[in-house]
Amino acid sequence: KMVDPTLAEMGKNLNEAMKMLEDNQRKAEEENEKKYARKDIPGPLQGSGQDMVSILQLVQNLMHGEEEEETSQSYRLQNVGEQGHMALLGHSLAAYISVLDRERLRKLTTRILSDTTLWLCRLFRYENGSAYYHEDDREGLLKICRLVIHTRYEDYSLEGFNVLYTKQPVIYISSAARTGLGQALCNQLGLPLSCMCRVPCNTMFGSQHQMDVALLDRLIKEDVEFGKLPLLLVANAGTPGAGHTDKLGRLKELCEQHKMWLHVEGVNLATLALGYVSSSVLAATKCDSMTLTLGSWLGLPAVPAVTLYRHEDPSLSLAAGLTSSQPVEKLRALPLWLSLQYLGHDGIVERIKHASQLSQRLLENLKNLDFIKTSVEDELSSPVVVFKFFQEYSNRDQTSHAAQASTIQHPIISNERHIYDTFNQWLGEQLAQLVPASGVDVVELEDEGTCVRFSPLMTSAVLGTEIQDIDQLVDCLKMKIPVLTSTLQLREEFEQEVRRTVSLLYIEDLDWPGLGVVRYNYHSDEKNDDKQEKELEKINTELLKKLNELESDLTFSLGPEFGGQKNCVYIGMVTEDLDVSELVETIAATGREIEENSRLLENMTEVVRKGIQEAQLQLQKANEERLLEEGLLRQIPVVGSVLNWFSPFQASPKGRTFNLTAGSLESTESMYISKAQGTGSTPPPTPTSSLAKQRLPGQKAFKRSLRSSDGFSETSSISHCDDLDKLDQRPPNLSPGQEQGPLEMERAEEQKEVGQAKRDTEDIHSDKSPPDCTKVEDQASQR
């Protein structure tokens, strides 16, 4: 039974608050009120105050926001379990404990800090270490740098930066380190950027993501010769990109030789809690300090990062800010203290082990896939798996197949690498969208280019990734590989077909993941560039609309929202059964149809305008002729009426009609005579696009007909499909019994002519007597 009623009430309120915030089901009335609420505009503070339920409801609305806007994207919150509730409870307890009397607060914070430090040092095999708890994961390294400066510069606490002039400090970081880490350290320490030295990675031997130890040794010796002081080295146990570990053993020896401090960070440090640890990661236990990010490894929200370090002088640690005399500062470890007790040693190890099993499961499946290349440090145990699509032997010499290694190879041509980067960017986005629980993301590596990364230690505990999610990820990858290979192979054919077509223009866009980009090239004599540009945009927009109306598996679009070409048609990914020639011919024919219809409308507008002007002139001329025929007297108002009454003037109405088909003016006399308007000539047919070929029933557009061998006969030269095509081409008004009539009549006439020719030949050669000149002349005269 809990004695303190405040703690019981705190736990109860926390449970009620979490249930309310995690409840995503809201009523329709609340959604309508939220839709029109001006929650984004700050309002005045209410004088009477609000209850806790109303405040939590406001927090819930602000957290979930406009859900209709999130439906198009993968919207997934972290699954906060019981261990997460313990971490959140730690923040509430810290506020409550801070109001205790000073002596009781000191005892409690000392116990919390010592317990948490002891558990972490034993869990991650870091003996005789101290711990610093911080919110920002870079803050621990910053305090370590200050500790080393205080240690190496004895008068730094008195003279400050003046002592740095005699010997400029140098901090060494790997080129594979986090982006902006060196600049952030220099800004916080007040050092120039010249104090930061970036060490390149290996280029000849070993992993290309590991720090070059020989080059580092040479750089340190050069700095010593120039009067600089090598201060600290930041190594990686799992680089941010590929997850590779530096050679920590050799780096530790090098640091001891030059009296430097060795700091290690990276996701692979989590494997120190497992029973089996690789020798490269195990060497991190001998370093001077390391930073652990337990929140992402264990799926704990709002827990601090921890920097473990070894140092013998507590006063220097206090001067550097690693320790504090304020008890409230020590309460940062309270959420982690509660969460570690809730999980226990076995629960912590099980979570890290589960993440390692996920990466191993994915790595084993990727080895059996073609066109997928992996970049892992250890085939047996690699917490981070990086892979990419790479068609290794396309358009290359097949004799080099045996010489290729199992790691990612570098494309020879820069354009080819750019295309592969674009395709892998698309692949990573598709996998993340189809399997959001996997936590895969896209990473840019200096040597390999764009790759897909799976780092379960950073995502599995948060997203709840399971083995079935990995299997689903592999299945999705198997479906995407044929699409990638087909699109990559047909890109060149599509480019050639478009370049051979006069009316089309091929647009090279290496950033587009698809078959290619095409533009209908509109030819016009218009000198106004703006008008020609508008006409080009109009035609290509209509072309895109027409292509999307076709029944096909292709996706046609205007391209990316930013950075794409204007007035173009972007074609997405394709399959192997695509008929490229039919696609290009259809695009060209549809574009010509749109252009002809546009020109026909423009010509008709001009003809109508000219016809109206001509009709006005003719009607004006006819009116003048009528006035001359009637005479001057008939135009006088009173005299003209009397004269028309005694002697009426008979005049037939003369009007004009405009024939849109012929584009000419005609008289209306025939209309008044026949009481009906003439039909005129037959209008010309509207231009239509002819498709490249006739499709079979159920076959979509731009698909090659993959007919099996059973559909053909070895003794027949005409297949069953050809017979169907002929039946489709017969006149619709003929019955099946009548459809052979014209053909039989034509054949009968041909046989009659052949028989007549044979009879004429027999008549000529019927005389068996020896021919003489007289008979020959008689026959010639008869002919």
Side-chain angles (χ1 to χ4, degrees):
K1 185 176 180 180
M2 188 173 293
V3 179
D4 194 339
T6 306
L7 294 179
E9 185 69 19
M10 187 183 303
K12 180 181 178 181
N13 293 337
L14 179 64
N15 291 331
E16 293 178 357
M18 292 305 301
K19 289 180 180 179
M20 184 176 296
L21 293 177
E22 291 177 352
D23 186 13
N24 295 331
Q25 303 296 330
R26 294 190 295 271
K27 298 180 180 180
E29 294 80 9
E30 296 176 350
E31 290 184 354
N32 294 332
E33 292 176 1
K34 178 178 66 66
K35 179 183 287 187
Y36 299 104
R38 302 174 62 184
K39 58 183 180 59
D40 295 332
I41 302 177
L45 180 63
Q46 296 185 7
S48 59
Q50 301 184 34
D51 56 358
M52 187 181 66
V53 177
S54 302
I55 297 175
L56 290 178
Q57 183 67 38
L58 175 62
V59 174
Q60 178 189 4
N61 295 337
L62 294 175
M63 286 173 55
H64 297 286
E66 298 290 341
E67 291 191 352
E68 58 270 12
E69 298 178 359
E70 301 289 345
T71 54
S72 60
Q73 302 176 356
S74 59
Y75 182 64
R76 187 185 181 93
L77 288 176
Q78 178 177 347
N79 184 18
V80 181
E82 289 293 333
Q83 74 280 357
H85 289 180
M86 295 300 297
L88 299 178
L89 180 62
H91 292 274
S92 301
L93 283 176
Y96 173 67
I97 293 174
S98 63
V99 301
L100 298 177
D101 60 274
R102 187 174 183 84
E103 184 62 24
R104 189 174 298 180
L105 177 62
R106 184 186 62 81
K107 291 182 180 180
L108 181 58
T109 54
T110 302
R111 173 64 185 274
I112 293 173
L113 192 64
S114 58
D115 284 350
T116 310
T117 303
L118 178 62
W119 297 338
L120 292 177
C121 289
R122 289 183 177 180
L123 187 64
F124 293 98
R125 309 185 185 192
Y126 197 80
E127 299 178 356
N128 301 324
S130 301
Y132 172 66
Y133 303 90
H134 46 92
E135 302 297 333
D136 189 357
D137 54 359
R138 296 178 298 183
E139 187 179 354
L141 178 57
L142 175 64
K143 297 299 177 64
I144 290 295
C145 292
R146 289 177 178 172
L147 174 63
V148 179
I149 292 176
H150 279 280
T151 304
R152 298 300 300 273
Y153 295 92
E154 297 179 357
D155 298 332
Y156 182 77
S157 58
L158 297 176
E159 299 183 10
F161 64 89
N162 291 323
V163 299
L164 304 179
Y165 285 117
T166 58
K167 281 190 175 182
Q168 180 179 343
V170 182
I171 301 175
Y172 301 88
I173 64 172
S174 173
S175 59
R178 287 180 290 173
T179 304
L181 178 62
Q183 185 176 2
L185 291 177
C186 290
N187 293 337
Q188 294 296 324
L189 295 172
L191 299 176
L193 292 179
S194 58
C195 294
M196 192 62 56
C197 178
R198 296 180 63 87
V199 183
C201 295
N202 295 324
T203 56
M204 298 297 295
F205 305 101
S207 172
Q208 296 178 348
H209 301 279
Q210 292 179 347
M211 193 183 304
D212 193 338
V213 181
L215 182 58
L216 173 62
D217 189 14
R218 188 163 63 249
L219 291 174
I220 294 175
K221 292 179 180 179
E222 291 178 357
D223 290 336
V224 172
E225 292 178 357
F226 283 103
K228 298 181 180 180
L229 180 62
L231 200 66
L232 181 138
L233 172 63
V234 182
N236 291 301
T239 56
H244 290 203
T245 303
D246 292 327
K247 298 176 181 179
L248 300 179
R250 295 183 58 187
L251 292 177
K252 179 58 179 176
E253 296 176 358
L254 190 62
C255 290
E256 291 178 350
Q257 178 183 351
H258 296 280
K259 299 180 180 180
M260 295 172 56
W261 185 284
L262 178 60
H263 178 82
V264 180
E265 60 181 19
V267 66
N268 293 350
L269 293 175
T271 59
L272 289 172
L274 302 178
Y276 169 78
V277 186
S278 61
S279 58
S280 59
V281 180
L282 189 61
T285 58
K286 304 300 181 182
C287 65
D288 298 304
S289 61
M290 64 169 64
T291 298
L292 310 175
T293 55
L294 298 171
S296 57
W297 298 350
L298 304 178
L300 302 176
V303 297
V306 185
T307 296
L308 302 178
Y309 65 96
R310 296 188 184 98
H311 199 265
E312 299 177 354
D313 194 346
S315 62
L316 294 181
S317 300
L318 181 62
L322 290 170
T323 58
S324 175
S325 59
Q326 299 295 329
V328 180
E329 294 291 333
K330 300 179 182 179
L331 288 176
R332 291 181 181 177
L334 182 57
L336 194 56
W337 182 70
L338 295 174
S339 300
L340 292 179
Q341 290 186 89
Y342 182 84
L343 292 175
H345 183 275
D346 295 339
I348 296 172
V349 174
E350 183 62 29
R351 290 194 172 221
I352 299 176
K353 183 179 179 181
H354 175 68
S356 301
Q357 291 175 350
L358 292 177
S359 60
Q360 197 64 26
R361 178 66 172 265
L362 178 62
L363 183 59
E364 292 175 356
N365 289 323
L366 293 179
K367 292 179 182 178
N368 301 325
L369 296 181
D370 297 331
F371 309 115
I372 294 296
K373 296 302 174 182
T374 59
S375 175
V376 293
E377 184 180 14
D378 188 0
E379 296 288 342
L380 300 178
S381 176
S382 180
V384 181
V385 179
V386 175
F387 62 94
K388 68 179 295 185
F389 165 77
F390 185 47
Q391 198 167 358
E392 194 170 359
Y393 310 116
S394 63
N395 299 327
R396 291 180 173 87
D397 190 5
Q398 297 294 333
T399 58
S400 62
H401 177 82
Q404 299 288 345
S406 61
T407 57
I408 297 177
Q409 303 295 326
H410 311 309
I412 300 175
I413 307 175
S414 60
N415 286 349
E416 183 180 6
R417 171 167 177 169
H418 201 153
I419 293 175
Y420 277 113
D421 290 346
T422 302
F423 276 43
N424 282 284
Q425 177 79 23
W426 176 86
L427 177 62
E429 294 174 354
Q430 289 291 313
L431 294 178
Q433 182 179 1
L434 294 174
V435 193
S438 64
V440 295
D441 59 349
V442 180
V443 61
E444 294 285 343
L445 300 180
E446 183 177 358
D447 296 311
E448 289 85 352
T450 304
C451 300
V452 183
R453 178 180 59 185
F454 176 65
S455 182
L457 281 172
M458 301 297 294
T459 59
S460 63
V462 175
L463 300 177
T465 310
E466 299 294 339
I467 294 295
Q468 53 267 24
D469 296 325
I470 304 302
D471 297 338
Q472 183 183 359
L473 179 67
V474 175
D475 294 338
C476 294
L477 186 59
K478 290 180 180 179
M479 292 189 300
K480 297 300 179 182
I481 289 176
V483 177
L484 290 169
T485 54
S486 302
T487 306
L488 189 62
Q489 292 174 357
L490 295 176
R491 278 177 70 101
E492 185 176 357
E493 181 182 353
F494 176 75
E495 179 180 356
Q496 294 176 357
E497 288 288 343
V498 172
R499 294 188 185 279
R500 283 197 293 262
T501 307
V502 179
S503 58
L504 299 181
L505 179 64
Y506 181 80
I507 305 298
E508 186 175 8
D509 191 352
L510 301 179
D511 294 329
W512 173 248
L515 184 63
V517 185
V518 65
R519 174 188 297 163
Y520 185 79
N521 199 7
Y522 171 69
H523 297 284
S524 176
D525 298 334
E526 183 68 34
K527 296 182 179 180
N528 191 352
D529 295 337
D530 294 338
K531 185 175 181 181
Q532 189 173 0
E533 186 73 17
K534 291 181 180 180
E535 188 67 24
L536 181 65
E537 180 181 0
K538 178 182 177 182
I539 293 178
N540 283 275
T541 303
E542 186 67 22
L543 175 61
L544 176 64
K545 181 180 178 182
K546 293 285 186 182
L547 293 175
N548 285 323
E549 292 176 356
L550 299 177
E551 295 182 1
S552 66
D553 295 332
L554 301 182
T555 55
F556 303 95
S557 64
L558 293 175
E561 185 178 359
F562 303 101
Q565 297 286 338
K566 294 182 179 179
N567 305 328
C568 296
V569 177
Y570 285 75
I571 306 174
M573 293 289 178
V574 299
T575 55
E576 61 180 354
D577 56 350
L578 174 68
D579 194 338
V580 178
S581 59
E582 180 188 357
L583 172 63
V584 176
E585 184 178 349
T586 303
I587 295 175
T590 307
R592 285 193 297 267
E593 175 186 351
I594 297 173
E595 182 181 1
E596 291 174 0
N597 291 336
S598 177
R599 290 183 175 179
L600 179 62
L601 182 61
E602 291 181 357
N603 294 337
M604 184 178 297
T605 304
E606 184 67 20
V607 168
V608 170
R609 186 181 64 84
K610 292 182 178 180
I612 293 175
Q613 294 178 355
E614 185 179 355
Q616 291 177 349
L617 294 176
Q618 292 185 7
L619 290 176
Q620 183 178 0
K621 184 179 180 180
N623 190 24
E624 293 176 355
E625 293 178 354
R626 183 180 62 83
L627 291 177
L628 293 177
E629 291 179 359
E630 291 179 358
L632 181 60
L633 294 178
R634 294 182 183 272
Q635 308 305 321
I636 301 174
V638 179
V639 178
S641 301
V642 175
L643 185 59
N644 290 331
W645 183 73
F646 283 105
S647 176
F649 181 79
Q650 300 293 333
S652 60
K654 294 181 180 181
R656 296 293 185 272
T657 179
F658 185 73
N659 193 339
L660 291 176
T661 304
S664 60
L665 286 174
E666 299 177 358
S667 177
T668 57
E669 295 180 0
S670 59
M671 182 190 306
Y672 289 108
I673 295 175
S674 61
K675 303 298 182 180
Q677 186 174 2
T679 57
S681 59
T682 304
T686 304
T688 58
S689 61
S690 60
L691 296 179
K693 65 179 182 179
Q694 185 178 2
R695 295 192 298 271
L696 297 176
Q699 182 182 0
K700 294 187 177 181
F702 317 126
K703 294 287 186 180
R704 291 198 302 266
S705 56
L706 302 177
R707 300 172 181 173
S708 60
S709 59
D710 297 338
F712 295 89
S713 175
E714 296 181 357
T715 58
S716 177
S717 60
I718 303 177
S719 65
H720 177 66
C721 295
D722 294 334
D723 295 338
L724 291 178
D725 295 340
K726 289 184 178 180
L727 290 177
D728 294 338
Q729 295 175 0
R730 69 189 180 192
N733 56 352
L734 293 180
S735 62
Q738 297 174 346
E739 62 183 2
Q740 299 295 335
L743 183 61
E744 292 178 354
M745 294 174 61
E746 185 176 355
R747 290 180 178 177
E749 293 178 358
E750 292 180 355
Q751 292 178 359
K752 186 184 296 183
E753 294 178 358
V754 172
Q756 183 67 30
K758 288 183 178 179
R759 285 192 297 271
D760 294 341
T761 306
E762 291 175 358
D763 293 340
I764 294 174
H765 298 285
S766 60
D767 192 0
K768 298 182 180 179
S769 59
D772 52 13
C773 297
T774 307
K775 291 184 179 181
V776 172
E777 291 177 356
D778 295 341
Q779 293 176 359
S781 61
Q782 291 176 3
R783 294 195 193 98

